[in-house]
Amino acid sequence: MAYTVRMADPFLPWDQYGKPARTRQPLSREAIVDAAMKIIDEQGLSALSMRAVAQALDTGPASLYAHVANKEQLIDLVLDRVYGEIEVPEIDPARWQEQLKDFTRSGLKVILSHRGLSAAMLGGPPMGPNGLRLMEASVGLAHAAGLSEAHAAFMGELVGQYIAVNALEQETFRERFGAASEDEVSEWVDQFRGYLQSLPPERFPTLVALARSGALMSPNTEEERFEMGLDILVRGLASYIESRN
Amino acid sequence: MAYTVRMADPFLPWDQYGKPARTRQPLSREAIVDAAMKIIDEQGLSALSMRAVAQALDTGPASLYAHVANKEQLIDLVLDRVYGEIEVPEIDPARWQEQLKDFTRSGLKVILSHRGLSAAMLGGPPMGPNGLRLMEASVGLAHAAGLSEAHAAFMGELVGQYIAVNALEQETFRERFGAASEDEVSEWVDQFRGYLQSLPPERFPTLVALARSGALMSPNTEEERFEMGLDILVRGLASYIESRN
DNA sequence: ACCTGAACACCGTTCAAGT
DNA sequence: ACCTGAACACCGTTCAAGT
């Protein structure tokens, strides 16, 4: 067996007498969430494992379980921290439509800045402190728009789902074509268009017409698509509210 | 080493001369998809593993890779088969709203009957043969309603996302409370209501009012919630279409 | 061409043992 | 109370070898 240097060895000059050479900061829930967040931001949610978090903290995976119930809870904790980054509006009933849109846009931007986390948003309603803040904002907005609290609560969920689904869609698209150049993407689109054109027009009249019509999908960029869906959502809400009066 | 019975052993009485005793049907993509589907229906998508599929087919996991590129592709194949179970309407432009709603309802019902699969729906636009059939139906419906093909294509995606998100929500709810009795659920709701009531009313005015107002969420059942969201979606679409004329 | 056993490089979580 | 090493019971996928 080889001789290995131990921290407590009093003969090493860099070892300050009385305390161990390098006190690693002790494990804590906060430190664990920090480490998890860093992994997600750098490598995406799919790279998050209890083992990776443990390694970042220079310990073994089993040690994490003293501070966190399981991986699911850890992700929820990260998610709630991320929710804290989303700006919420001061509610102005007269401008609820524009405020709701801004809120949704800001939510999308934040969640997209933590790769892969959008998938975790669909795990259930946000129940952490920051999640409740968001709930209050969107439910409050819908309430100010004229919905009962109960209907407004449902509306808050719709908005959250809209953000999550859009973030997820944009992420999976980037994952599939992220490495590809613009040329490669448009080549792929051309191929797909060609495939649609080759379908039997009796059974697929609209898709064939679509392929022939030039643009495959008219809201073309991610942003245009997000905005169009958001417009439809807000229009639907406004129409629903009107129908109740 | 123990003597092990071999299929070709000519001395065993149940071994019919000339062909092996039990010719297992050969592996095929179809058989693999069958087996995967059975596992999903019985135990949910989370129980689907290449190893489980292989075991069901009495072989090793490596054998599957001669017929299927990877697990992701296998899930896509299962998904497309499930898409085949969804009924599509004969398009009648005058009734597009009701037809769209029926189509969405039928889609939800089918996807819910294959536990966990809804999560896979969010992996991208459906590109298999049955998926294209659905695309033609929803895009055709939106086109009949007055949208350009390109806008209609985007609309088709919205509908798919709405189905997926609702199925996913209902499934995660059942997963979390599926084992619980109605009493346990309502006890949990009461607890949550109490928590909301205890929040500082200055910072959470709407949530506190909501908790005090009795019903936590007004569309109460899964079905009511689905229908209300669907109503909002269709209203939004109708309003959007009108604004373009 | 298809199938196989064995291996690679991972997972989340538990548990007895240490401090 | 907190941390650890080791193990349990899994994963998806690859690869050389067999038929």
Tab-separated table of all heavy atoms in Angstrom, chain A residues 87-112:
chain	number	residue	atom	x	y	z
A	87	GLU	N	-40.329	37.932	-13.672
A	87	GLU	CA	-40.898	39.198	-13.194
A	87	GLU	C	-42.419	39.132	-13.185
A	87	GLU	O	-43.021	38.641	-14.128
A	87	GLU	CB	-40.484	40.344	-14.122
A	87	GLU	CG	-39.022	40.728	-14.025
A	87	GLU	CD	-38.627	41.573	-15.229
A	87	GLU	OE1	-39.429	42.446	-15.630
A	87	GLU	OE2	-37.536	41.348	-15.762
A	88	VAL	N	-43.005	39.651	-12.124
A	88	VAL	CA	-44.470	39.710	-12.094
A	88	VAL	C	-44.914	41.164	-12.148
A	88	VAL	O	-44.248	42.054	-11.612
A	88	VAL	CB	-45.045	39.033	-10.826
A	88	VAL	CG1	-44.546	37.601	-10.721
A	88	VAL	CG2	-44.688	39.818	-9.585
A	89	PRO	N	-46.019	41.420	-12.835
A	89	PRO	CA	-46.481	42.795	-13.034
A	89	PRO	C	-47.265	43.326	-11.817
A	89	PRO	O	-47.852	42.552	-11.060
A	89	PRO	CB	-47.421	42.668	-14.236
A	89	PRO	CG	-47.973	41.271	-14.122
A	89	PRO	CD	-46.884	40.433	-13.523
A	90	GLU	N	-47.238	44.627	-11.659
A	90	GLU	CA	-48.202	45.315	-10.782
A	90	GLU	C	-49.525	45.319	-11.540
A	90	GLU	O	-49.621	45.897	-12.628
A	90	GLU	CB	-47.774	46.769	-10.565
A	90	GLU	CG	-46.627	46.962	-9.609
A	90	GLU	CD	-47.104	46.909	-8.157
A	90	GLU	OE1	-48.315	47.138	-7.903
A	90	GLU	OE2	-46.261	46.619	-7.285
A	91	ILE	N	-50.522	44.710	-10.983
A	91	ILE	CA	-51.736	44.489	-11.774
A	91	ILE	C	-52.504	45.787	-12.047
A	91	ILE	O	-52.785	46.570	-11.143
A	91	ILE	CB	-52.656	43.475	-11.075
A	91	ILE	CG1	-51.962	42.099	-11.098
A	91	ILE	CG2	-54.007	43.388	-11.781
A	91	ILE	CD1	-52.660	41.048	-10.297
A	92	ASP	N	-52.797	45.981	-13.336
A	92	ASP	CA	-53.595	47.120	-13.775
A	92	ASP	C	-54.748	46.565	-14.620
A	92	ASP	O	-54.557	46.224	-15.786
A	92	ASP	CB	-52.700	48.054	-14.608
A	92	ASP	CG	-53.498	49.172	-15.269
A	92	ASP	OD1	-54.730	49.251	-15.067
A	92	ASP	OD2	-52.880	49.967	-15.999
A	93	PRO	N	-55.955	46.462	-14.029
A	93	PRO	CA	-57.083	45.787	-14.697
A	93	PRO	C	-57.345	46.272	-16.111
A	93	PRO	O	-57.746	45.486	-16.969
A	93	PRO	CB	-58.274	46.105	-13.782
A	93	PRO	CG	-57.671	46.369	-12.452
A	93	PRO	CD	-56.321	46.985	-12.706
A	94	ALA	N	-57.087	47.536	-16.367
A	94	ALA	CA	-57.391	48.072	-17.692
A	94	ALA	C	-56.467	47.476	-18.748
A	94	ALA	O	-56.815	47.433	-19.932
A	94	ALA	CB	-57.264	49.596	-17.682
A	95	ARG	N	-55.301	47.037	-18.329
A	95	ARG	CA	-54.329	46.530	-19.301
A	95	ARG	C	-54.081	45.030	-19.153
A	95	ARG	O	-53.006	44.539	-19.481
A	95	ARG	CB	-53.010	47.297	-19.128
A	95	ARG	CG	-53.104	48.786	-19.428
A	95	ARG	CD	-51.734	49.466	-19.270
A	95	ARG	NE	-50.696	48.780	-20.026
A	95	ARG	CZ	-49.636	48.184	-19.466
A	95	ARG	NH1	-49.466	48.206	-18.175
A	95	ARG	NH2	-48.747	47.573	-20.227
A	96	TRP	N	-55.068	44.296	-18.687
A	96	TRP	CA	-54.799	42.901	-18.350
A	96	TRP	C	-54.298	42.074	-19.529
A	96	TRP	O	-53.433	41.215	-19.362
A	96	TRP	CB	-56.021	42.240	-17.700
A	96	TRP	CG	-57.173	41.910	-18.607
A	96	TRP	CD1	-58.240	42.702	-18.891
A	96	TRP	CD2	-57.370	40.687	-19.341
A	96	TRP	NE1	-59.092	42.060	-19.759
A	96	TRP	CE2	-58.586	40.819	-20.049
A	96	TRP	CE3	-56.648	39.504	-19.464
A	96	TRP	CZ2	-59.094	39.818	-20.869
A	96	TRP	CZ3	-57.152	38.504	-20.289
A	96	TRP	CH2	-58.359	38.670	-20.974
A	97	GLN	N	-54.789	42.354	-20.723
A	97	GLN	CA	-54.365	41.529	-21.851
A	97	GLN	C	-52.872	41.705	-22.126
A	97	GLN	O	-52.136	40.726	-22.287
A	97	GLN	CB	-55.189	41.870	-23.103
A	97	GLN	CG	-56.679	41.620	-22.910
A	97	GLN	CD	-57.437	41.460	-24.224
A	97	GLN	OE1	-56.825	41.345	-25.292
A	97	GLN	NE2	-58.761	41.440	-24.154
A	98	GLU	N	-52.439	42.960	-22.188
A	98	GLU	CA	-51.026	43.197	-22.468
A	98	GLU	C	-50.159	42.706	-21.314
A	98	GLU	O	-49.078	42.146	-21.524
A	98	GLU	CB	-50.793	44.697	-22.741
A	98	GLU	CG	-49.564	44.978	-23.591
A	98	GLU	CD	-49.397	44.009	-24.775
A	98	GLU	OE1	-50.305	43.873	-25.621
A	98	GLU	OE2	-48.351	43.350	-24.820
A	99	GLN	N	-50.638	42.872	-20.101
A	99	GLN	CA	-49.875	42.407	-18.939
A	99	GLN	C	-49.747	40.883	-18.926
A	99	GLN	O	-48.686	40.339	-18.610
A	99	GLN	CB	-50.546	42.891	-17.656
A	99	GLN	CG	-50.327	44.380	-17.398
A	99	GLN	CD	-50.648	44.744	-15.955
A	99	GLN	OE1	-51.709	44.404	-15.441
A	99	GLN	NE2	-49.732	45.437	-15.302
A	100	LEU	N	-50.833	40.227	-19.269
A	100	LEU	CA	-50.785	38.767	-19.305
A	100	LEU	C	-49.792	38.294	-20.366
A	100	LEU	O	-49.019	37.364	-20.148
A	100	LEU	CB	-52.188	38.221	-19.606
A	100	LEU	CG	-52.330	36.708	-19.535
A	100	LEU	CD1	-51.994	36.206	-18.148
A	100	LEU	CD2	-53.744	36.279	-19.916
A	101	LYS	N	-49.796	38.970	-21.496
A	101	LYS	CA	-48.847	38.600	-22.550
A	101	LYS	C	-47.406	38.830	-22.103
A	101	LYS	O	-46.537	37.985	-22.319
A	101	LYS	CB	-49.153	39.389	-23.826
A	101	LYS	CG	-50.416	38.906	-24.542
A	101	LYS	CD	-50.619	39.630	-25.869
A	101	LYS	CE	-51.836	39.060	-26.599
A	101	LYS	NZ	-52.066	39.723	-27.901
A	102	ASP	N	-47.160	39.971	-21.493
A	102	ASP	CA	-45.801	40.258	-21.033
A	102	ASP	C	-45.342	39.237	-20.000
A	102	ASP	O	-44.205	38.771	-20.023
A	102	ASP	CB	-45.737	41.669	-20.421
A	102	ASP	CG	-45.593	42.740	-21.498
A	102	ASP	OD1	-45.189	42.390	-22.623
A	102	ASP	OD2	-45.897	43.907	-21.214
A	103	PHE	N	-46.247	38.905	-19.110
A	103	PHE	CA	-45.933	37.929	-18.083
A	103	PHE	C	-45.564	36.581	-18.711
A	103	PHE	O	-44.564	35.953	-18.344
A	103	PHE	CB	-47.140	37.775	-17.156
A	103	PHE	CG	-46.988	36.719	-16.113
A	103	PHE	CD1	-46.057	36.850	-15.089
A	103	PHE	CD2	-47.785	35.576	-16.151
A	103	PHE	CE1	-45.926	35.870	-14.126
A	103	PHE	CE2	-47.653	34.587	-15.190
A	103	PHE	CZ	-46.714	34.734	-14.179
A	104	THR	N	-46.336	36.176	-19.693
A	104	THR	CA	-46.092	34.902	-20.367
A	104	THR	C	-44.767	34.936	-21.121
A	104	THR	O	-43.984	33.983	-21.073
A	104	THR	CB	-47.251	34.591	-21.336
A	104	THR	OG1	-48.489	34.761	-20.635
A	104	THR	CG2	-47.167	33.174	-21.849
A	105	ARG	N	-44.509	36.037	-21.803
A	105	ARG	CA	-43.234	36.179	-22.514
A	105	ARG	C	-42.055	36.087	-21.555
A	105	ARG	O	-41.057	35.413	-21.830
A	105	ARG	CB	-43.179	37.536	-23.220
A	105	ARG	CG	-44.107	37.650	-24.409
A	105	ARG	CD	-43.948	39.015	-25.101
A	105	ARG	NE	-45.016	39.206	-26.085
A	105	ARG	CZ	-45.974	40.115	-25.983
A	105	ARG	NH1	-46.015	40.943	-24.942
A	105	ARG	NH2	-46.892	40.209	-26.911
A	106	SER	N	-42.176	36.762	-20.443
A	106	SER	CA	-41.065	36.774	-19.487
A	106	SER	C	-40.866	35.384	-18.893
A	106	SER	O	-39.737	34.928	-18.685
A	106	SER	CB	-41.342	37.846	-18.429
A	106	SER	OG	-41.135	37.373	-17.133
A	107	GLY	N	-41.972	34.684	-18.660
A	107	GLY	CA	-41.867	33.316	-18.159
A	107	GLY	C	-41.156	32.403	-19.145
A	107	GLY	O	-40.278	31.617	-18.767
A	108	LEU	N	-41.502	32.532	-20.403
A	108	LEU	CA	-40.860	31.695	-21.425
A	108	LEU	C	-39.366	31.958	-21.477
A	108	LEU	O	-38.553	31.029	-21.520
A	108	LEU	CB	-41.481	31.965	-22.798
A	108	LEU	CG	-40.882	31.120	-23.922
A	108	LEU	CD1	-41.450	29.707	-23.890
A	108	LEU	CD2	-41.107	31.737	-25.294
A	109	LYS	N	-39.016	33.224	-21.445
A	109	LYS	CA	-37.605	33.590	-21.559
A	109	LYS	C	-36.790	32.979	-20.406
A	109	LYS	O	-35.719	32.414	-20.618
A	109	LYS	CB	-37.476	35.122	-21.547
A	109	LYS	CG	-36.271	35.646	-22.302
A	109	LYS	CD	-36.256	37.169	-22.313
A	109	LYS	CE	-35.080	37.712	-21.523
A	109	LYS	NZ	-35.182	39.143	-21.231
A	110	VAL	N	-37.336	33.100	-19.227
A	110	VAL	CA	-36.604	32.593	-18.055
A	110	VAL	C	-36.458	31.071	-18.106
A	110	VAL	O	-35.375	30.533	-17.896
A	110	VAL	CB	-37.300	33.031	-16.755
A	110	VAL	CG1	-36.736	32.269	-15.561
A	110	VAL	CG2	-37.145	34.528	-16.543
A	111	ILE	N	-37.548	30.386	-18.398
A	111	ILE	CA	-37.475	28.926	-18.354
A	111	ILE	C	-36.555	28.401	-19.453
A	111	ILE	O	-35.847	27.405	-19.268
A	111	ILE	CB	-38.883	28.292	-18.426
A	111	ILE	CG1	-38.837	26.857	-17.887
A	111	ILE	CG2	-39.452	28.302	-19.820
A	111	ILE	CD1	-38.720	26.791	-16.395
A	112	LEU	N	-36.519	29.103	-20.579
A	112	LEU	CA	-35.630	28.676	-21.659
A	112	LEU	C	-34.161	28.852	-21.297
A	112	LEU	O	-33.299	28.200	-21.882
A	112	LEU	CB	-35.942	29.459	-22.938
A	112	LEU	CG	-37.112	28.935	-23.768
A	112	LEU	CD1	-37.366	29.853	-24.949
A	112	LEU	CD2	-36.860	27.510	-24.230
